[in-house]
Amino acid sequence: MKKLASIDIGTNSMRLLIAEHGEQLENRKKYIDITRMGHGVDSHGFINEETMERNLEALHQFIDLARREKVDDIYVMGTSALRDSKNRNEFVKKAKELTGVQVEVIGGKQEALLGFCGAIAGLKTSGYVLIIDIGGGSTEFMLGSREEGILFSESLNIGALRMTEKFVKNDKVSMEERNQIAEFVNRDMDSIIEFLEAYPITQLIGIGGTITTYSAIVQNMKTYDMNKIHNSTIKREQVSYLVDFMAEQTLEERKTVSGLQPKRADIIVAGGVILETILKKLHRDSITVSEYDNLEGLIYHNMKSGN
């Protein structure tokens, strides 16, 4: 049984998975650091020096941790913020010099494929499923089945950090700002909704930090528990209530909400508006939450490829 590590350098956070790979992934451990790689990338197109150094240090610490755990291989991917930044190659070069590990900047389609592989592996599903990954910079939509694999995937630039930077001006998120986010999400989804509605989708599955955080808040979770998050259900009415409640709070008040990481407090309302709008657009009342995502998918993909 091989011990493996996968790292996702995302727009809002950097995440590490360490697991043992046999027939399934066992003894999974996850770590997260809110590193804000995407700060300013949408408006300026570049990763600034402070952000780059912060993320390089976080990556170095994660790789050191993985090596102390004596993993056999480490796989690292960069997603939305890195692929959108004009100076991504500078980060990739510095990361290789600092850690000796190659960062692969993947496209939206590949990110969606990895998310699909991870989520399908972690849940019992039948028929056509739609998997939604709301990240910091983008949201991936993946439709397929266990038998046929992935049939459709699309990555839209409607992430929680991106929407916050684009529309939110103050601690409290006004109704006008929430409506602007919802309208933006609706317009972007118009390009894919016809295709999605053509399939008899039996289950909606959510992955990523926004969705797992809303599950933790709904469960009033003092300490994050992967097992309680996995296969939980969030109702649309719960998301709507929490969006309205947290939008009226100051940032400091929001940081005290049970289940919410304080460093995620500034973007959680925008993330909730994205989730609520997607559920409305798809005429769905609830979504199942998976703790298996593109980190697990990255390991499965590399094992299948023989890397």
Side-chain angles (χ1 to χ4, degrees):
M1 185 176 288
K2 295 186 76 173
K3 195 171 190 180
L4 302 165
S6 58
I7 296 172
D8 172 17
I9 305 171
T11 300
N12 182 59
S13 62
M14 189 179 300
R15 300 179 305 127
L16 164 68
L17 167 67
I18 297 175
E20 294 173 356
H21 184 274
E23 291 186 7
Q24 301 291 329
L25 290 183
E26 299 177 13
N27 300 318
R28 293 161 57 246
K29 291 185 285 187
K30 282 188 175 180
Y31 307 85
I32 186 169
D33 189 356
I34 306 294
T35 52
R36 293 284 162 93
M37 176 65 90
H39 178 66
V41 169
D42 194 42
S43 55
H44 304 298
F46 287 89
I47 304 163
N48 66 43
E49 187 177 345
E50 181 185 346
T51 299
M52 189 170 292
E53 291 305 317
R54 182 172 62 248
N55 278 268
L56 286 168
E57 177 58 28
L59 179 62
H60 193 195
Q61 290 181 9
F62 272 175
I63 288 174
D64 278 353
L65 173 57
R67 284 171 173 156
R68 289 197 302 273
E69 290 274 342
K70 295 182 170 52
V71 301
D72 296 294
D73 286 302
I74 303 172
Y75 311 114
V76 186
M77 62 182 165
T79 52
S80 180
L82 271 176
R83 64 175 172 258
D84 287 349
S85 63
K86 295 181 176 70
N87 59 338
R88 60 183 174 272
N89 290 339
E90 181 185 351
F91 178 86
V92 171
K93 181 175 181 288
K94 287 184 174 180
K96 182 67 181 291
E97 291 171 350
L98 181 66
T99 68
V101 175
Q102 183 67 39
V103 176
E104 182 184 1
V105 181
I106 63 172
K109 295 278 188 182
Q110 179 71 358
E111 184 178 356
L113 175 63
L114 295 177
F116 181 85
C117 292
I120 285 288
L123 289 170
K124 291 181 179 179
T125 61
S126 61
Y128 293 113
V129 298
L130 177 61
I131 298 166
I132 299 165
D133 181 359
I134 302 174
S138 63
T139 295
E140 278 65 51
F141 295 82
M142 305 143 262
L143 187 147
S145 68
R146 190 175 297 277
E147 295 75 25
E148 297 177 59
I150 192 164
L151 301 174
F152 170 84
S153 69
E154 188 61 75
S155 180
L156 302 179
N157 286 331
I158 49 174
L161 178 58
R162 193 187 296 265
M163 293 297 95
T164 300
E165 290 189 345
K166 193 175 187 71
F167 295 111
V168 179
K169 303 296 184 282
N170 301 294
D171 278 12
K172 295 185 179 182
V173 187
S174 69
M175 182 59 74
E176 180 183 359
E177 289 167 338
R178 283 178 270 162
N179 286 339
Q180 287 174 335
I181 295 170
E183 288 168 10
F184 191 94
V185 173
N186 267 311
R187 282 198 304 272
D188 259 28
M189 283 191 68
D190 283 342
S191 63
I192 64 171
I193 194 67
E194 185 177 344
F195 189 93
L196 297 180
E197 289 179 340
Y199 284 83
I201 297 168
T202 59
Q203 190 176 14
L204 205 60
I205 298 171
I207 60 178
T210 291
I211 290 173
T212 56
T213 297
Y214 269 90
S215 177
I217 296 171
V218 166
Q219 296 183 61
N220 195 30
M221 203 172 278
K222 301 290 190 291
T223 303
Y224 192 86
D225 186 332
M226 283 197 302
N227 295 321
K228 289 181 179 178
I229 295 293
H230 190 61
N231 207 24
S232 62
T233 300
I234 309 173
K235 295 180 180 177
R236 191 173 79 194
E237 62 191 31
Q238 292 173 320
V239 178
S240 300
Y241 169 79
L242 287 171
V243 165
D244 289 343
F245 174 72
M246 290 190 290
E248 293 298 319
Q249 292 181 306
T250 65
L251 182 60
E252 291 307 310
E253 289 170 338
R254 214 176 293 143
K255 286 178 179 179
T256 67
V257 172
S258 291
L260 174 60
Q261 286 179 296
K263 286 185 177 181
R264 198 182 284 275
D266 57 336
I267 66 169
I268 195 61
V269 173
V273 175
I274 295 170
L275 176 56
E276 180 185 14
T277 305
I278 290 171
L279 292 174
K280 284 180 179 177
K281 189 85 166 175
L282 296 172
H283 309 291
R284 296 283 170 157
D285 294 324
S286 64
I287 187 167
T288 301
V289 184
S290 172
E291 245 291 344
Y292 281 66
D293 53 37
N294 59 3
L295 284 173
E296 284 80 3
L298 184 58
I299 288 179
Y300 282 124
H301 173 74
N302 277 282
M303 288 297 92
K304 189 175 180 180
S305 302
N307 294 335

